[in-house]
Amino acid sequence: MSAFGSGSSNSNNRLRHNQAGGDGVLGGTHGAYGMYPHSEYREGAEQRRENDPNDKGSRLKGKVSMLKEVAINIGDEIRDQNQFLTTMGQDMEGMGGRLAQTMKNFYEMWARQGCGPFFYLTLFAIGVVVFMYIYLKAR
């Protein structure tokens, strides 16, 4: 029986034989192991193959190569995600600089023109809020 659960079909045949009332899978008499009368020979061959060190080595080699491939794919994905995060961080830093420059320009404009534009901007915002309140209340 391998690590991935693929055991011999002999146990499945016995189960089918027992469930069918001793007459085999399809209702006929096919021997003690269901419809495969020579399954006991297959089981012996599977046991010999499982006990063969060369076969164990090749199966182990296959599993190791599969794990190596998975590890390489995980590493590639991590590198891609790190590159994406680095790019996103650089973009955010650029946006922070632009936002800071916009605020600086706003403060300079306000300082030059006094509080008149700020007053009108605040009055407009209050008007929008009142309009939205009345509009949503009337709905």
Side-chain angles (χ1 to χ4, degrees):
M1 186 167 173
S2 71
F4 295 104
S6 61
S8 67
S9 63
N10 193 13
S11 61
N12 291 336
N13 292 335
R14 286 186 202 144
L15 180 63
R16 290 180 187 157
H17 174 72
N18 290 337
Q19 289 174 345
D23 290 334
V25 176
L26 300 176
T29 55
H30 297 284
Y33 293 101
M35 49 188 260
Y36 303 108
H38 302 291
S39 61
E40 63 269 5
Y41 299 117
R42 287 191 192 116
E43 184 181 62
E46 287 176 6
Q47 286 177 354
R48 283 192 302 275
R49 192 169 49 240
E50 286 179 358
N51 292 333
D52 183 19
N54 292 332
D55 189 44
K56 283 184 179 179
S58 66
R59 284 188 290 146
L60 184 62
K61 213 180 264 190
K63 290 176 185 178
V64 167
S65 65
M66 182 179 63
L67 287 173
K68 181 180 177 183
E69 183 179 333
V70 167
I72 289 171
N73 289 339
I74 289 172
D76 291 342
E77 186 66 27
I78 288 172
R79 269 194 255 26
D80 291 343
Q81 293 296 325
N82 281 340
Q83 182 180 6
F84 174 72
L85 289 173
T86 301
T87 304
M88 193 169 71
Q90 291 170 350
D91 290 344
M92 289 294 177
E93 287 175 6
M95 291 303 254
R98 283 185 227 146
L99 182 61
Q101 184 63 36
T102 302
M103 292 303 292
K104 180 181 172 189
N105 291 341
F106 177 74
Y107 288 133
E108 286 177 4
M109 179 190 74
W110 186 23
R112 278 189 301 221
Q113 295 182 355
C115 63
F118 183 71
F119 174 74
Y120 291 124
L121 180 65
T122 305
L123 189 61
F124 175 74
I126 291 172
V128 168
V129 169
V130 169
F131 174 76
M132 292 299 291
Y133 177 76
I134 293 171
Y135 176 75
L136 292 174
K137 193 73 163 175
R139 254 175 119 191

